[in-house]
Amino acid sequence: MMLPKQTFFFLCLLADWSWANEAHRRATNETVEYMKFLETRTFFRKRQDNQRLIHSLEAKLKNANFSSGNVTLQTNNIQSLVFKLTCDFSGLTINSSYLEKAQTRHIMQFPTELTQRACKAREAPQELRLICIYFDMKYFFQDDDNSLLLNDNILGASLVNHSVSSLRQGINISFWHNESLERYDLTCVFWKEGAGKASWGAWSTAGCETILISSYQVLCHCDHLTYFAVLMKLSSTEISMELLAPLTYISIVGCSLSTVASLLTILLHFYSRKKNNSTTYIHLNLHVSVILLNITFLLSPSLTFQPVACVAMAALLHYSLLSCLTWMAIEGFNLYLLLVRVYNIYIQRYILKLCAFGWGFPGFVVLLLLLWKSSAYGRYEIQIKTSQENDANSQNTSICWIKSMEIQWVFVMGYAGVTSLFNLVILIWAVKMLHGLHCREKKWESRICRDITTVLGLSVLLGVTWSLPFFSFSDFLLPQLFLSTIFNSLYGFFLFLWFCAQKRHSDLEAETSSSLQMIRTGLQSNHSPLRSPQPSSLTCSASPVPPYGTSHQEGGVEEDMAHPET
């Protein structure tokens, strides 16, 4: 039986339609699976492959089949939109409501000028496609500095087979954040392929203007299509040109004075004929680290225009800072042993182990960073504000330091924070023991001045003033800046004053003890019936901490606290 011609054509059309729908679903599913593949496999690929993977996603979206005016494909961290445009394009606004899985709010506004150049370049009108890709992950666009991005969002847009640049009206991309952004310097950037060394591109600001609408919204106005993001940097200390001169003068004078004072302290330690103990050797290593830190800090600005030397100086400055912080922590650890474990604290090769840790661990950290990411060290720009509103007249100063903010937060601020917290706990513990000691005495009011001096000396020894940079916010910014500069640059000088105070106290006790011994000897030689005199208030004035440092070990006895430098 022959089918009517109309029925035959209808069945053919139905088959073609079914096949087209099946091909459309298959292509859509393949694209979605590829987007899921990008999400789940990001940490198992090399960065050099990222360019190929992103271009493969763009090619799949380029060949997408339309069932309506646009195609929307979404996974957890990647969302893709494909729009069908014509030469009568009147503008388009895309917001996060187009995407059900969008984690943050954003808007992209395309002007009518978007398709004009493409339409003029063709003889016959054809279909135009606008591809928009949203990444809620920055892995594929990590630059050499591993820059911090707002919300980790990258918004990309491209017109298939056409390059869009130098737009007069420009494209507006709005980013929102659920917290205030006042503490950050925000910059609108785009991804420039081939501009990176280790990565397949780098972030650039050319052709983009940053407009801060509010503390929660950033508007990027750019004249081309590509991948866009907002670069975040913690706001640098707002140093004005008027404050730069006194701060520089304080730093130079303070570091120079500390270097001389630390050198003098070391010479006095070696000149002293008294036997040096483990606590004295710890003090000496701390002074050496302070000298190294001051010298590298003073030399750092002079090598900023020599790339190789600047990297070496930045690494040496970082090593010096970590070494100084480590020896502060060792001072706290040694004080902890002498406060808590008064007896039986003998440790074999104690000083050798402390030196291996105090000098070796910072070296290991710096060497690891050099091998992992040598570009983290180099010329670091410090923004200087001027009294004029025109930013074109602003000036910057530079030193050889760590360029990566992430590394600064982890290996500088984090390291200093842990050290300061540990030593602060030790200081509180020492003050508590001092208070408990005086509560058992009857006449403790007369020792208040000496106790205050002891607490201040321990605060300097444990580097409590190095915690001042953690108060860089709001109204504390300017006072903290000056206090931190003064106290930290004069750290070696304060250690010298602590050494002088302890040496003076030791000399007084030695003189008093010698006098009492002479009196006892004279009385015994005369066979006087009188009782031996009671010790004076100087000899009875207990040390702020117990006479620690005594080691009960066969073959030798250490007496750390008997030495005045403790």
Side-chain angles (χ1 to χ4, degrees), residues 160-283:
V160 175
N161 297 328
H162 295 282
S163 176
V164 178
S165 60
S166 302
L167 295 175
R168 293 188 300 272
Q169 298 176 359
I171 301 166
N172 294 325
I173 309 104
S174 296
F175 297 83
W176 276 267
H177 194 61
N178 55 2
E179 295 181 2
S180 176
L181 299 170
E182 293 179 352
R183 296 179 59 244
Y184 295 92
D185 294 327
L186 305 174
T187 307
C188 292
V189 292
F190 76 95
W191 186 254
K192 186 176 181 181
E193 294 188 23
K197 296 181 180 179
S199 181
W200 64 285
W203 294 110
S204 175
T205 59
C208 288
E209 179 184 0
T210 306
I211 303 173
L212 189 62
I213 303 298
S214 67
S215 57
Y216 301 91
Q217 180 184 359
V218 182
L219 174 63
C220 298
H221 185 76
C222 301
D223 63 355
H224 57 284
L225 291 183
T226 183
Y227 291 95
F228 303 98
V230 176
L231 200 63
M232 299 176 64
K233 289 184 179 180
L234 282 173
S235 298
S236 56
T237 306
E238 296 182 355
I239 306 176
S240 64
M241 292 297 296
E242 292 77 11
L243 297 178
L244 179 61
L247 288 174
T248 304
Y249 180 78
I250 293 173
S251 299
I252 294 175
V253 174
C255 291
S256 302
L257 187 60
S258 289
T259 303
V260 175
S262 295
L263 284 172
L264 184 60
T265 305
I266 294 174
L267 292 177
L268 290 175
H269 271 299
F270 283 110
Y271 180 75
S272 177
R273 296 181 179 180
K274 296 180 180 180
K275 181 181 178 180
N276 291 330
N277 48 52
S278 59
T279 304
T280 303
Y281 287 121
I282 294 175
H283 294 342

Side-chain angles (χ1 to χ4, degrees), residues 547-565:
Y548 51 80
T550 304
S551 171
H552 298 276
Q553 183 79 9
E554 294 183 4
V557 176
E558 284 187 348
E559 294 183 354
D560 287 345
M561 275 307 294
H563 197 272
E565 283 75 19

Side-chain angles (χ1 to χ4, degrees), residues 519-535:
I519 293 175
R520 293 191 185 98
T521 304
L523 290 174
Q524 292 175 0
S525 63
N526 294 328
H527 302 284
S528 174
L530 299 177
R531 293 184 305 169
S532 298
Q534 297 295 325

Side-chain angles (χ1 to χ4, degrees), residues 491-554:
Y491 180 65
F493 178 71
F494 291 144
L495 289 178
F496 172 74
L497 294 181
W498 168 252
F499 165 77
C500 293
Q502 292 299 303
K503 189 175 187 305
R504 179 176 178 274
H505 173 65
S506 174
D507 293 341
L508 288 176
E509 285 191 341
E511 182 180 352
T512 304
S513 178
S514 176
S515 300
L516 290 174
Q517 185 65 28
M518 292 176 63
I519 293 175
R520 293 191 185 98
T521 304
L523 290 174
Q524 292 175 0
S525 63
N526 294 328
H527 302 284
S528 174
L530 299 177
R531 293 184 305 169
S532 298
Q534 297 295 325
S536 67
S537 59
L538 285 175
T539 59
C540 289
S541 58
S543 177
V545 291
Y548 51 80
T550 304
S551 171
H552 298 276
Q553 183 79 9
E554 294 183 4

